[in-house]
Amino acid sequence: MCGIVGFAGHHQAAPILLDGLSKLEYRGYDSAGLAVRDGENPAEVVKAVGRLKNLAEKTDEGKALPGCFGIGHTRWATHGEPSRTNAHPHVSGNCTGSGSGKVESEVVGVHNGIIENYKELKEKLERHGYVFYSETDTEVVVKLVDYYYKKYIHTPIDAIAKTMVRVRGSYALELMFNDHPGEIWVARKDSPMIIGTADNETYVASDVPAILKYTRSVYYIDNLQCAKITPGEVHFYDLNGDEVTLEPTEIKWDAEAAEKGGYEHFMIKEIYDQPKAVGDTLTSVIHDGKIDLSEVGLSDDELKEISSVTMVACGSAWHVGMALQYVIEDLTRVPVRVELASEFRYRNPILDPKQLVIVISQSGETADTLEALRLAKKHGIKTLAVVNVVGSSIAREADNVFYTLAGPEIAVATTKAYSAQLAALYTFAVQLGFAKGTFAQSDYERYISELNTIPAKISKILEDKERLQWFASKFAHKHDVFFIGRGIDYAVSLEGSLKMKEISYIHSEAYAAGELKHGTISLIEDGTLVIGVLTQNELYEKTVSNMVECKSRGAYLCGLATYGKYEVEDHCNFVTYVPTIDTHFAASLAVVPLQLLGYYIAVARGLDVDKPRNLAKSVTVE
Ligand code: G6P
């Protein structure tokens, strides 16, 4: 949560910082601020509550803030309500009013992360005469840097290194020191930060899309490292203040991938990106009709040894795990557990040395998932990360990485990354079964050819979106929606329900269809919308029966079935179809109409689809 940007160069910083922040707004959007420095002059701070456009208006699109050095922040409030005072940047000195204006302090900074011991540090600083104006942990860390800067020998590196030793928690921190014009200092632990250089200029950001327009050459600063940023140069240091060398990485994403490309919202663009995201992910490991996971670091011999699989993730990535548990167990007979990362990390799990822990994460930065990965590693368990963002913390720390090739995903509600994660893990499941000899060569070939049909089948579903658009406009006023299904259809229901509630704010729940009778059915009233997912042939009739039970109590039924199952129309008020596919892989198709439904309902309700209230895409706090 929260996005940070920085720029040190020869162009005007503010417009570049605002542009970068606009690509990071998915990380938080309750307030934003800039600090820009013009030569030797002290930095000037401007903050605004609400969306970034307020800050852009206030600074005349950045033109009102001259200077070629600056830092910026878009906030998702953790400590302290969204307000101008709590918005970043924060300063080491006193601050009156809203905190905008010329900085009369030594240090000004922005921060993404959480300082866990901020209360204790605040008390210490108060004892030394510091007066606090905000409720944020960031103000504490900025003042702590100032304290050490003054206490020691007035060198930023010592002040920062001392601060890093004292603070507990996570941070991607950018600082400017009044005594050191021409420099920006950064420090990082467990929150994302990349640094790019091009044409004698340097860029800092929480995520790649913010700087993609300017450079593809980026450094991934390591945990517990800090750096001095000057135009076109970066010097990295460890906690002892010794310089360390890092090599830049070339980013392969193209700049257009982080733009809307003519679509009204990122979400609908990303829904339409899915055939490519899935196709690219599949072809990264399917060569000449065979799955080759050697680049992922999993040979068939290693696969053969796996005794069980635990998949750990949050949000939609957890839903991917929920779908895959059915697929992996059925294809391989290897037991699977699926765990929410926030639960797994605190429950002292029993881990068998021969098991594989798979963490699934689009951003590669989700705090709970990262900690779950570390816990598994601490137990000496082999880990595989399925991650979209190259060079992210999870990708760097896992033993093996399977990159999904979805490209940058900007909308807060994930779509294409979810689909790419499914595709990646299908290939894992099929290869695991093949290595273990749980099915015949002919089945192996059939599974692979079925996988290869997914992109075209998703495109076909997308061609048929008008009916869903119509249905969405009819149901945009609903207060409650229930999604039901069994097996893989239950896993898809979980994702469909999340899409609905997160962007349309309609109360929605997903239930295993057989479980509905154990309480939830009492919530069904006249006109309640019940969406039944019906792609699993063996479970079809059972789920239809559960749907009919709801209809008898007044529900309006929407069925999501595969082509050919037309008799479902005898029971449902509305039916939408997806192409047939081997049922193991049906989640990839069934999810698409549900994504469209969530999207069109949110649009019909006039909501901000890409940035739903209270949410952030990258959840770097636990
Ligand atoms: C947030 C996002 C979800 C995402 C979840 C896990 O809640 O809004 O779309 O599924 O985090 O994120 P990750 O980056 O780990 O996949």
Side-chain angles (χ1 to χ4, degrees), residues 47 75 79-88 90 134-136:
K47 306 180 187 192
R75 180 165 187 250
H79 297 75
E81 54 162 14
S83 69
R84 250 194 304 165
T85 310
N86 286 331
H88 300 209
H90 286 288
S134 78
E135 298 157 84
T136 65

Side-chain angles (χ1 to χ4, degrees), residues 188 190-192 361 363-367 370 391-394 618-620:
R188 171 181 180 268
D190 290 347
S191 289
S361 175
S363 63
E365 300 293 348
T366 302
L370 179 59
S392 54
S393 301
I394 291 174
S618 188
V619 182
T620 51

Side-chain angles (χ1 to χ4, degrees), residues 28-33 48-51 73-76 82-83 86-88:
Y29 30 84
D30 57 42
S31 54
V49 177
R51 294 292 161 88
H73 188 266
T74 177
R75 180 165 187 250
W76 188 88
S83 69
N86 286 331
H88 300 209

Side-chain angles (χ1 to χ4, degrees), residues 457-468:
K457 288 176 179 169
I458 294 178
S459 299
K460 172 124 185 57
I461 300 167
L462 293 172
E463 276 166 24
D464 200 22
K465 64 175 178 21
E466 272 79 18
R467 285 187 72 241
L468 280 167

Side-chain angles (χ1 to χ4, degrees), residues 314-318 360-366 369 394 409 412-414 421 498-499 502 615-619:
C314 302
S316 296
W318 179 72
I360 312 165
S361 175
Q362 187 284 129
S363 63
E365 300 293 348
T366 302
T369 312
I394 291 174
E409 192 179 63
V412 166
T414 180
Q421 287 161 353
L498 180 62
K499 288 288 89 85
E502 67 182 335
L615 297 178
K617 187 162 186 68
S618 188
V619 182

